[in-house]
Amino acid sequence: MFEVAFSQDSTLVAGQDSVVSAKKQKNKTKNSGLDKPVTYSSQDSIVFNISGSSVQTYGDGKVKYENIDLESQYIELNVQKREVFAKGMVDDSTQEVVGSPIYKDASETFDADSMRYNFDTKKGLAFGIYTKQDEAYLHGGRTKILNNEEIHIKNGKYTTCEEKDPHFYVNMTKGKVIVDDKIVFGPAWVVVDEIPIPFVIPFGYFPITKGRANGIIIPTVGEETAKGYYFRNGGFYFGLGEYVDIKLLADVYSLGSWRSTVSSNYKVRYRFNGNFSVTYASLVTNEIRQAPTFNVKWVHSQTQKSPYSPNFSANVNYGSAGYTKQNTYSTSEYLNNQISSNIYFSKKFAGTPLAFSASLSHSQNNIDSTISLTLPQLRLTASSFAPFKRRHPVGKERFYEKINVSYTGEMQNKLVNAKLDSNFYRKETLELFQSGINHSVPVTMSFKLFKYITISPSFNYQERWYTTKLQKEWDDDYMIATAQDTIIGGVRVDTVGGFNRVYNYSFAVGASTKIYGMYRFRSSVLKAVRHVVTPSISYSLTPDFSAEKYGYYGTYQKNSEGDFAQYSYFEKGIYGVPSAQKQSSISFSLGNNVEAKVRNKLDTITGTKKIKLIESLSINGSYNFAADSLKMSLINVSGYSTILNRLTVRYSATFDPYAIGEKSTSNGRTQVRVNNYMIDKFGSLWRKTQDQWATSLSYTFGPIKDKNETTNIPVDEYYSYFDVPWSLSLSYSLSIPRKYYYDYNNELDSVSNNVIQTISANGKISLTKNWNIAFSTGWDFQQKGISYTTLNIYRDLHCWDMSMTWVPFGDRQRWEFTLKIKASMLSDIKIDMKSSSEYF
């Protein structure tokens, strides 16, 4: 490594270890043109001129001056002229030029065929440069470098293709690059695959500002049958510093419709990020302007530094009824009839079992225009803890130390299934909200009896706080208006304000165990079958809270004949009301699991594998001692199995132990359950009331891609990859629900069958690394036709993308073709063609 300082009378002394230091040269003259050192090195050889006026390096030479680095196969350093010349050299074996100059400074890096640079004037001249500017690449013929701030180019090429021979480029006769600002050019034209497009661009510029930049967003031009010709998604972009931006977009249609959108992205690294948008639209249909619609979207996520730091997130999608159907251009959004929102905050308190959360939520049905809101829901929980557990236990654990207590406190203000129309945004809507506070305190414990039986006693306490209650009474003068007439006399329902404490409690104790059975076979294939039975029984006791001492229930006259009925003052309470019936019941459950152990030649250790024959088969029911009749509940049977890890079979059935009888009503005789067991009257344990068989099969054919591999093809559900040359997913589901009807003699009269089945197919194929095709289709058994079908074709053209979407059938039949540049900065250069019939 050699270090040289240039001055007015500097000389370079050649020698094996010659070093001319900058410090010594500086002492010789005060009028030095360059008072900072120039260092140079070479991997091959360095040749010094006898007069000491120049140095030549061969083989990976390097020169450094201030913040300028120059690397080249051949470098000539002229001391007197204070300049450096660099070029590549011809390789003797390949006869190709190698080691072309690479120039680097604080802001620029480019390759060149050859270049010359003056350290005094800080100007340079290069030929055949190649450099990257933001997302684009710049090729230059004869190029001047001025003060490391400007680059003047003659016969240059501007492209987003990284190849040295680009597939397309803007051919500039002359241009100027202002570092980190813009590229300004004179007459130019576009060349695609070496074919010039006969259209001259008089002048232009490309912004290359690093970071956010303001600019115009070019709209998409097209036509829709319902809205006419359009300019879509045109507007302005503003980069407001490092953390936030704003985008203003507008759609204008020739038949009068329009839409405007304000959106923003924001991000603070290691803290939070998100995006927000507000859209307002006005649609004209059949020359009639419809009511304006709007949509608000907000997505926010926060980086949680620890489990105890506050967490805030939001996912909001709220809008007018009908907005999505009228304005979306996304197939998935168009087919989705339900939109929802959720804003959530949570905080755990370190060193305590306490946790707090607050949320706002909304759910909106786009078919019937109903909406449900929760504004807000607050929750305070205390996870299970043992209040009697000794801090420093000595000896055996006492039974009371196994008692665990938890707490959940919740407050809600909720609106359910309100009509989202012009009357929704009025003060009267607030009166439809239901609110209340609920406290729940479960106390549990568990211990073993005789080692194998688990005993689990529990006590549950629930308390509700309501600020209103209902009062019902008969009013002979109360008028009820109907569509046909006005009725005099009816039940008046009044809402009375005030604080109301509504509590209930219950006690339960359960016992459960597991019984294992194993049967071994001498077969060489089937080794054994294991059966696991899980019986459980529990007893629960709940008082009758309709008693007068509680004050939760009352009676009212329900008709003019003087008949009375019971009702609860809090029947519209958001957390319900305590039960009006005493419960003293025993519940039972019997679970089953059956597995087989078979030979497995692939397992060289055990030689066997397990196969689940019945994954679950359960039978459950209950008996209420406190009921005055029909003490036995329905018997429910359910189970499922998975065959060959693909086919899932589910079964459920309901059995009634009581017989059917007759009851006279104003409409005639009708069937009812009577307090007579089937086994007593007809000799059978029960009668089946309904059952259902259901099965589903889903299988994907094709090779599996290594998840660690990466690809440059855009990630999209419609496109496959050459690493997975093809895949085909088939899914089929079948459900057969049946209901059983009996005559008055409890003999089977008829069975209603209803077959519900669906089938769908999704496929992807990569013809080559660049050609990808995907499709999605199915069969609608109800409509007896092909369901929504799409065909998507994608072609990677290196620096271009070509895609086509085709919907060949149905109401949304259409096609779209797009050919565009991949780089976002030139994304407006594209061919976008669509069918004239769009049903968005």
Side-chain angles (χ1 to χ4, degrees), residues 566-605:
Q566 187 184 61
Y567 78 103
S568 172
Y569 303 126
F570 311 101
E571 61 187 24
K572 291 189 176 181
I574 191 172
Y575 294 107
V577 293
S579 173
Q581 293 182 346
K582 182 180 179 179
Q583 295 285 330
S584 177
S585 62
I586 288 181
S587 300
F588 62 89
S589 176
L590 188 65
N592 296 268
N593 175 272
V594 182
E595 293 181 345
K597 183 181 290 186
V598 298
R599 182 179 62 182
N600 184 14
K601 295 181 179 180
L602 300 178
D603 192 334
T604 58
I605 299 177

Side-chain angles (χ1 to χ4, degrees), residues 435-508:
S435 61
I437 298 177
N438 183 64
H439 308 272
S440 178
V441 183
V443 181
T444 62
M445 69 178 300
S446 178
F447 59 90
K448 291 286 186 179
L449 182 65
F450 308 126
K451 293 184 180 180
Y452 303 109
I453 302 176
T454 302
I455 305 297
S456 304
S458 64
F459 175 80
N460 289 278
Y461 178 82
Q462 183 179 6
E463 184 170 311
R464 311 161 183 84
W465 293 349
Y466 295 134
T467 57
T468 61
K469 71 176 183 179
L470 301 179
Q471 283 190 348
K472 297 182 180 182
E473 61 179 354
W474 180 264
D475 188 348
D476 292 328
D477 299 326
Y478 187 56
M479 293 187 297
I480 302 175
T482 65
Q484 293 79 18
D485 198 0
T486 300
I487 301 174
I488 306 298
V491 178
R492 183 186 297 275
V493 180
D494 295 322
T495 302
V496 181
F499 176 76
N500 299 277
R501 175 173 167 262
V502 182
Y503 67 90
N504 65 278
Y505 52 86
S506 64
F507 170 79

Side-chain angles (χ1 to χ4, degrees), residues 212-396:
R212 301 181 185 273
N214 303 332
I216 299 174
I217 301 175
I218 306 300
T220 300
V221 181
E223 180 189 5
E224 290 187 22
T225 302
K227 301 178 183 178
Y229 296 98
Y230 62 75
F231 289 93
R232 184 188 296 166
N233 289 330
F236 301 91
Y237 175 85
F238 303 96
L240 306 180
E242 182 181 355
Y243 305 110
V244 65
D245 66 5
I246 291 181
K247 188 185 295 183
L248 306 177
L249 297 176
D251 299 350
V252 180
Y253 298 85
S254 60
L255 297 182
S257 299
W258 57 269
R259 183 176 68 159
S260 60
T261 301
V262 179
S263 63
S264 175
N265 296 284
Y266 58 89
K267 181 176 182 179
V268 177
R269 186 176 296 181
Y270 309 123
R271 295 185 63 185
F272 58 83
N273 66 85
N275 57 78
F276 180 83
S277 68
V278 178
T279 302
Y280 191 82
S282 179
L283 177 67
V284 174
T285 304
N286 297 326
E287 299 183 356
I288 300 174
R289 185 168 298 278
Q290 307 298 319
T293 58
F294 72 94
N295 181 255
V296 178
K297 290 185 178 181
W298 180 32
V299 177
H300 178 91
S301 61
Q302 180 176 327
T303 303
Q304 197 169 6
K305 299 180 180 179
S306 74
Y308 299 102
S309 60
N311 182 38
F312 178 77
S313 63
N315 192 342
V316 176
N317 185 4
Y318 178 78
S320 304
Y323 171 85
T324 303
K325 295 294 183 183
Q326 297 174 5
N327 296 280
T328 186
Y329 302 104
S330 168
T331 300
S332 59
E333 288 186 2
Y334 180 84
L335 296 177
N336 184 19
N337 295 316
Q338 195 82 19
I339 61 175
S340 60
S341 304
N342 188 55
I343 301 175
Y344 181 78
F345 171 83
S346 65
K347 175 74 171 75
K348 292 182 178 180
F349 299 92
T352 71
L354 298 177
F356 172 78
S357 66
S359 65
L360 309 175
S361 62
H362 125 273
S363 178
Q364 184 175 329
N365 190 311
N366 291 327
I367 296 179
D368 58 10
S369 298
T370 58
I371 185 171
S372 297
L373 300 172
T374 302
L375 304 172
Q377 179 181 21
L378 307 178
R379 182 187 290 263
L380 178 65
T381 61
S383 58
S384 180
F385 63 96
F388 306 111
K389 196 173 186 66
R390 291 171 292 174
R391 185 171 296 180
H392 304 290
V394 177
K396 190 177 180 180

Side-chain angles (χ1 to χ4, degrees), residues 1-2 39-47 55-63 70-75 89 99:
M1 177 72 70
F2 293 85
T39 60
Y40 58 90
S41 64
S42 175
Q43 296 294 328
D44 188 344
S45 60
I46 300 177
V47 178
V55 178
Q56 297 172 341
T57 67
Y58 296 87
D60 295 332
K62 296 182 180 180
V63 171
L70 180 63
E71 300 178 11
S72 183
Q73 189 72 9
Y74 171 78
I75 299 177
M89 299 186 68

Side-chain angles (χ1 to χ4, degrees), residues 10-68:
S10 62
T11 58
L12 179 65
V13 181
Q16 185 175 0
D17 297 317
S18 299
V19 177
V20 183
S21 69
K23 183 175 180 182
K24 292 180 181 179
Q25 291 298 327
K26 186 177 180 179
N27 292 334
K28 288 184 180 181
T29 176
K30 295 182 179 181
N31 297 321
S32 173
L34 295 170
D35 58 357
K36 293 187 179 180
V38 176
T39 60
Y40 58 90
S41 64
S42 175
Q43 296 294 328
D44 188 344
S45 60
I46 300 177
V47 178
F48 296 90
N49 188 282
I50 297 177
S51 62
S53 62
S54 65
V55 178
Q56 297 172 341
T57 67
Y58 296 87
D60 295 332
K62 296 182 180 180
V63 171
K64 180 175 179 60
Y65 172 70
E66 291 185 325
N67 60 354
I68 296 175

